[in-house]
Amino acid sequence: MTPAVPRSGLRDLEPYQAPQLEVAARLNTNECPYPLPESFRDELAGAVRRLELHRYPDREAQELREALAKHAGHPVEGTWAGNGSNEVIEQLLLAYGGPGRRVVVFRPTYVLHERLAWVTHGDVFASSLDEPWAVSTRDVAQALAAQPSVVFVCSPNNPTGNAQPVEIVEALAAGGDSLVVVDEAYIEFGGQSAAGLVARYPNVAVVRTFSKAFALAGARIGYCLASPEVVDDLRRVRLPYHLSALTQAAGLIALRHKEHALAILDAVRQERDRILVELPALEVRAFPSDANFVLFRPPRPAQETWRGLLDRGVLVRDMASVVRGCLRVTAGTPEEVDRFLSALNEVLR
Ligand SMILES: *Cc1c(COP(=O)(O)O)cnc(C)c1O
């Protein structure tokens, strides 16, 4: 028996995974701490009962795309949906990245952009930003000089929390023919959207998700606001019937209940701002955030602090491999945030 040989470099890659542990406060993956209400679940259950699951789903997800277009104020021909924004990002890379084509990322940022660029056989060109991690016009010039096929901008950026100026996206889009992918996973919490640029710059694609502000991480729904040409290219690379009838139904009904999701944004932002105020009192460096999480640097090694918090029932994300000495905490419920703050106080005492 001979084991199959995978592509070169594959075994050097760790599977992408955040620990999923049963603890009192799970604050490591930036989910919404509150579920959608009973009325959402009832409506979803009713819709699922009516689905014809022996048939393939609507390949175009027309009804969902129309609802998304209306929600975003974007033409439906330029609106696309997928199984989480990560799938949409992978599809964009399948269409615009690939062998011999360069993909630019501004580090530190969401590591999945780079990883998916590699998975789709593209060449990654990483430009490193200094604190406070704003992309400058110099960074733009340097990125464009690399003659990329795809450029990623994450705004608000994960894990640093800062939004990037929309002018930076415009400069990238105006400066060449690369596809500028703007990951707006946290846009409901802050920052200015780049979606308005698409009308003038058909090489801009904005990617958003239902996993954070929409309280639907379990349903796996993401979408893209782009030009009709880009959406046509996504049709060429997507798997047939990629979006299940169950997912389409969940997305449609969630949009009908969007006032519930949007109503909790303020509560989440309040907890984020409370973390930002309380951390410096513990002599912890906290970085400003436009998202639903806070990046912070404790005066102790990140791994040791992470472990101490976990021992006290609080799971945060160790980001030391992305930003030196840093951890990231999600703005949860007031009780979860209380627990985090008192656990951190104990760990650092
Ligand atoms: C959480 C997150 C996503 C969401 O991915 P889904 O596949 O939609 O769950 C995308 N981009 C960034 C930067 C994120 O932090």
Side-chain angles (χ1 to χ4, degrees), residues 299-349:
R300 294 263 187 82
Q303 173 65 25
E304 187 186 313
T305 310
W306 181 84
R307 187 73 238 178
L309 288 171
L310 185 57
D311 291 342
R312 289 162 182 80
V314 180
L315 180 59
V316 299
R317 190 70 166 263
D318 183 348
M319 282 292 165
S321 63
V322 183
V323 187
R324 178 183 57 81
C326 282
L327 300 162
R328 190 193 68 198
V329 61
T330 307
T333 64
E335 296 72 30
E336 288 169 332
V337 170
D338 283 345
R339 197 176 174 113
F340 160 70
L341 290 169
S342 64
L344 187 61
N345 190 21
E346 267 181 46
V347 171
L348 297 179
R349 208 177 319 161

Side-chain angles (χ1 to χ4, degrees), residues 84-86 110 154 158 183 185-186 209 211-212 220:
S85 52
N86 286 326
Y110 190 46
C154 192
N158 177 9
D183 188 334
Y186 301 98
T209 180
S211 298
K212 311 287 159 59
R220 312 301 305 124

Side-chain angles (χ1 to χ4, degrees), residues 242-262:
H242 71 289
L243 206 56
S244 87
L246 298 159
T247 309
Q248 294 186 34
L252 258 176
I253 294 163
L255 282 170
R256 268 187 232 135
H257 289 260
K258 71 172 178 181
E259 73 282 4
H260 294 290
L262 300 179

Side-chain angles (χ1 to χ4, degrees), residues 29-30 83-87 89 109-110 112-113 154 156-158 183-186 207-212 217 220-223 293 328:
T29 47
N30 299 342
N83 295 287
S85 52
N86 286 326
E87 184 187 53
I89 290 166
T109 191
Y110 190 46
L112 225 7
H113 296 155
C154 192
N157 186 39
N158 177 9
D183 188 334
E184 294 189 351
Y186 301 98
V207 182
R208 296 188 188 158
T209 180
F210 277 42
S211 298
K212 311 287 159 59
R220 312 301 305 124
I221 305 169
Y223 63 103
F293 56 81
R328 190 193 68 198

